[in-house]
């Protein structure tokens, strides 16, 4: 039987069909049609590459009437990461978005399901491009391949850390190939594929872009992969970080605020871009971080917990005033204020397009690389006095206005520095896992807040919808 290719219509193509409800994981995404010969030119393949980024960007919820109608890409990621740490919480206890910070997410949670499906849409779009790469001009094939593999690896890296063993699909498959679509593959094998993809990307790409895959982006993500392994490869991670540092292509912004409002600046290594006021290219997570209807019927996500406020007071330096602000009894994130916001008024205002915000999602920046450099040199130990580690650590501290000379860095110093530097950028959850303290930190946090946490909650549930579609072939994580 002739093999059907699932072709992504992106950028220049306006044909749309709805996906069958029983093909949620297999790639018939909303912006795709089953056709055998769409890709005819290099421009078609490039449009398909853009389509992978489009899947990562996701659909602004304001453009759809039902959350199940479209995947949100990374726009729900703060719920699955920051909210499950001691950093932030939802302002209310209503709705499925409030389940994350209380550790009561179940297999029917729509936001978790959306994220899972969104990452697989990235993966399947990447696989589609790789299947048609020979249509592209020969001079572009290596780059397009590297971009697709970088994005596939990026999505799998998210999935494997949040859901554990997941189906590993690296080629176009048919909708009835259940063995490929629904067999969970051991985490170690998923990591092996991630490493292979990122190594190829790093060997091919240059640093000419910050909103598309680059050499440094592949190196930085790969460094984090090596730090995340059950048996971390600290030496490889250190070498990758030093390659980025020594490239002189990146630098810390002098003003911390500029990191977030002077987009694609010298500190940004990889960012997912959005466009203010454009419903097709904007995001709504910026407005969702507000705690009232000031930005339009939002329920207040990423409300800052008091223990993070205390860490900002002790270790934040000038980052504190650019990270959150207190309105009454509510501590709200201000790293991603929509264009036109004015938080000096009472009540604050959030511009004319708050729910169609253009703030970029920052996937990787130079400060993260500097702190990973310290982590790699620390190599799981209790402390370090390495001159190279001190230099990287001091650079981040100096930018924060904390210029006292540091002579020793402990594991605890590094973890709190990462917390205040990268707060609300969806890194804390993964940091706690990597540092081996997630269970202890989250247990203490839960006891303080009156939540119930156990180690099984370190993995999210596999969405029930996917298990049902698989006919039981896809298995559930323990405890759900």
């Amino acid at each position: 039987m002739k093999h059907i290719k699932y072709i992504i219509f992106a950028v220049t193509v306006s044909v749309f069909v709805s996906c069958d409800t029983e093909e949620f994981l297999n790639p018939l995404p909303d912006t795709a049609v089953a056709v055998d010969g769409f890709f005819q030119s290099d421009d078609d393949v490039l449009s398909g590459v853009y389509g992978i980024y489009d899947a990562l960007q996701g659909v602004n919820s304001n453009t759809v009437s039902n959350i199940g109608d479209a995947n949100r890409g990374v726009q729900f990621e703060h719920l699955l990461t920051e909210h499950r740490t001691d950093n932030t919480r939802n302002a209310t206890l209503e709705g499925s978005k409030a389940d994350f910070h209380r550790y009561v997410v179940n297999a029917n949670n729509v936001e978790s399901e959306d994220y899972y499906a969104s990452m697989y849409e990235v993966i399947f779009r990447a696989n589609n491009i790789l299947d048609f790469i020979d249509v592209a001009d020969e001079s572009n094939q290596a780059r397009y391949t590297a971009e697709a593999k970088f994005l596939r690896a990026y999505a799998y890296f998210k999935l494997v850390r949040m859901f554990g063993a997941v189906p590993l699909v690296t080629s176009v498959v048919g909708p009835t190939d259940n063995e490929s679509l629904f067999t969970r593959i051991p985490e170690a094998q998923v990591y092996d594929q991630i490493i292979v993809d990122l190594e190829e990307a790093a060997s091919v790409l240059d640093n000419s872009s910050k909103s598309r895959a680059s050499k440094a982006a592949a190196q930085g993500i790969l460094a984090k992969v090596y730090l995340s392994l059950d048996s971390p490869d600290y030496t490889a991670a250190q070498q990758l970080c030093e390659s980025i540092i020594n490239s002189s292509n990146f630098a810390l912004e002098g003003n911390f605020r500029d990191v977030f409002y002077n987009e694609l600046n010298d500190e940004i290594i990889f960012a997912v871009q959005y466009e203010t006021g454009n419903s097709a290219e904007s995001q709504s997570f910026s407005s969702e971080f507000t705690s009232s209807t000031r930005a339009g019927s939002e329920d207040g996500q990423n409300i800052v917990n008091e223990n993070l406020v205390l860490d900002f007071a002790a270790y934040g330096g000038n980052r504190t005033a650019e990270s959150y602000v207190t309105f009454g009894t509510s501590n709200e994130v201000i790293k991603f204020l929509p264009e036109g916001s004015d938080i000096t008024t009472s009540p604050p205002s959030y511009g004319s397009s708050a729910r169609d915000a253009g703030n970029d999602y920052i996937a990787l920046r130079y400060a993260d690389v500097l702190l990973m450099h310290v982590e790699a040199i620390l190599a799981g130990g209790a402390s370090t006095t390495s001159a190279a580690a001190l230099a990287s650590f001091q650079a981040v501290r100096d930018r924060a206005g904390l210029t006292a000379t540091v002579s020793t860095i402990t594991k605890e110093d590094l973890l709190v520095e990462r917390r205040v530097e990268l707060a609300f950028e969806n890194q804390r959850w993964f940091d706690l896992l990597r540092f081996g303290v997630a269970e202890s930190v989250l247990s203490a946090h839960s006891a303080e807040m009156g939540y119930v946490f156990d180690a099984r909650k370190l993995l999210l549930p596999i969405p029930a919808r996917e298990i049902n579609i698989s006919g039981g072939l896809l298995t559930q994580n323990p405890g759900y």
Side-chain angles (χ1 to χ4, degrees):
M1 185 175 70
K2 194 172 184 180
H3 189 61
I4 295 177
K5 312 294 194 299
Y6 293 92
I7 312 305
I8 303 306
F9 274 43
V11 185
T12 60
V13 182
S14 58
V15 179
F16 298 90
V17 296
S18 296
C19 62
D20 188 297
T21 56
E22 292 190 355
E23 294 177 345
F24 192 65
L25 174 61
N26 196 43
L28 264 185
D30 293 333
T31 56
V33 337
V35 64
D36 213 15
F38 169 69
F39 289 116
Q40 300 293 328
S41 68
D42 186 85
D43 285 345
D44 294 336
V45 178
L46 179 58
S47 292
V49 172
Y50 289 154
I52 313 173
Y53 293 97
D54 186 63
L56 193 62
Q57 180 191 64
V59 177
N60 189 326
S61 61
N62 299 316
T63 65
V64 294
S65 58
N66 188 317
I67 188 176
D69 291 341
N71 293 344
R72 290 285 302 277
V74 296
Q75 294 185 53
F76 280 145
E77 190 169 291
H78 61 281
L79 296 170
L80 284 69
T81 55
E82 292 290 284
H83 277 215
R84 290 200 296 144
T85 73
D86 49 351
N87 273 5
T88 64
R89 67 184 188 279
N90 213 63
T92 75
L93 301 182
E94 298 176 3
S96 56
K97 293 175 183 177
D99 292 346
F100 293 92
H101 78 263
R102 297 179 295 141
Y103 308 104
V104 294
V105 174
N106 61 42
N108 293 305
N109 182 279
V110 292
E111 288 83 19
S112 179
E113 178 185 87
D114 183 283
Y115 191 85
Y116 185 92
S118 292
M119 293 304 104
Y120 271 106
E121 186 160 344
V122 171
I123 290 162
F124 282 116
R125 290 189 182 198
N127 290 341
N128 282 327
I129 292 303
L130 294 171
D131 207 41
F132 284 91
I133 201 67
D134 58 346
V135 174
D137 293 347
E138 187 174 354
S139 60
N140 290 328
Q141 288 180 15
R143 176 178 175 82
Y144 294 163
T145 297
E147 286 191 81
K149 289 187 175 182
F150 168 84
L151 292 165
R152 181 172 70 183
Y154 185 80
Y156 267 124
F157 190 35
K158 298 287 188 180
L159 287 168
V160 74
R161 290 178 295 169
M162 292 194 203
F163 296 93
V166 291
L168 180 63
V169 185
T170 58
S171 62
V172 175
V173 294
T176 60
D177 189 355
N178 285 358
E179 286 295 322
S180 296
L181 291 169
F182 299 114
T183 300
R184 298 182 71 179
I185 302 302
E187 292 178 34
Q189 289 180 236
V190 178
Y191 273 109
D192 286 344
Q193 184 63 52
I194 292 169
I195 291 169
V196 168
D197 282 352
L198 290 175
E199 285 180 338
E200 179 173 344
S203 70
V204 170
L205 297 171
D206 58 27
N207 289 326
S208 60
S209 178
K210 295 174 180 289
S211 59
R212 289 173 63 179
S214 68
K215 180 182 184 69
Q219 290 174 321
I221 300 300
L222 183 55
K224 196 164 289 188
V225 169
Y226 282 131
L227 293 172
S228 302
L229 298 174
D230 283 343
S231 298
D233 190 336
Y234 294 114
T235 300
Q238 180 180 344
Q239 291 171 346
L240 287 162
C241 290
E242 288 174 352
S243 179
I244 296 171
I245 293 167
N246 295 334
S247 74
S248 300
N249 288 319
F250 307 95
L252 296 175
E253 287 290 289
N255 185 326
F256 190 66
R257 177 181 172 82
D258 287 344
V259 175
F260 309 98
Y261 295 102
N262 176 24
E263 294 184 333
L264 302 186
N265 56 74
D266 288 345
E267 188 163 337
I268 301 302
I269 297 176
F270 178 51
V272 179
Q273 285 194 284
Y274 296 94
E275 183 181 348
T276 298
N278 182 340
S279 61
E281 301 293 339
S282 60
Q283 48 86 355
S284 60
F285 64 76
S286 288
S287 67
E288 290 163 357
F289 294 172
T290 65
S291 63
S292 75
T293 58
R294 290 185 293 251
S297 302
E298 308 304 343
D299 52 6
Q301 297 158 39
N302 260 357
I303 301 302
V304 185
N305 287 328
E306 287 299 325
N307 61 72
L308 177 52
V309 169
L310 293 174
D311 271 356
F312 268 121
Y315 310 105
N318 60 33
R319 294 170 292 202
T320 302
E322 305 298 345
S323 298
Y324 79 93
V325 67
T326 302
F327 298 126
T329 60
S330 176
N331 301 309
E332 296 182 11
V333 174
I334 58 170
K335 277 186 174 181
F336 305 99
L337 290 173
E339 185 174 338
S341 295
D342 184 355
I343 60 173
T344 67
T345 64
S346 182
S349 62
Y350 296 95
S352 60
S353 299
R355 300 193 74 202
D356 292 306
N359 309 69
D360 290 350
Y361 166 96
I362 300 174
L364 182 68
R365 60 185 176 93
Y366 188 58
D368 191 354
V369 171
L370 290 174
L371 295 177
M372 280 197 291
H373 183 227
V374 179
E375 184 179 345
I377 294 171
L378 192 62
S383 64
T384 182
T385 58
S386 159
L390 290 170
S392 291
F393 191 78
Q394 190 77 56
V396 177
R397 297 273 293 172
D398 285 350
R399 196 261 300 274
L402 304 171
T403 57
T405 301
V406 176
S407 57
T408 301
I409 307 165
T410 68
K411 176 181 175 180
E412 292 73 20
D413 292 336
L414 179 56
L415 189 58
V416 76
E417 187 65 25
R418 288 188 61 84
R419 188 185 195 193
V420 294
E421 173 68 28
L422 301 166
F424 324 126
E425 298 176 52
N426 304 341
Q427 297 296 331
R428 175 71 168 173
W429 175 263
F430 302 123
D431 290 352
L432 294 175
L433 291 175
R434 260 194 344 271
F435 280 65
V437 297
E439 187 173 353
S440 60
V441 169
L442 299 179
S443 294
H445 169 63
S446 296
E448 178 185 356
M449 302 294 286
Y451 308 146
V452 177
F453 173 85
D454 64 72
R456 292 177 298 184
K457 304 295 176 64
L458 293 176
L459 291 179
L460 287 165
I462 300 297
R465 183 175 180 177
E466 305 300 341
I467 292 175
N468 293 338
I469 293 170
S470 77
L473 180 61
L474 189 63
T475 58
Q476 186 54 275
N477 284 324
Y480 293 100

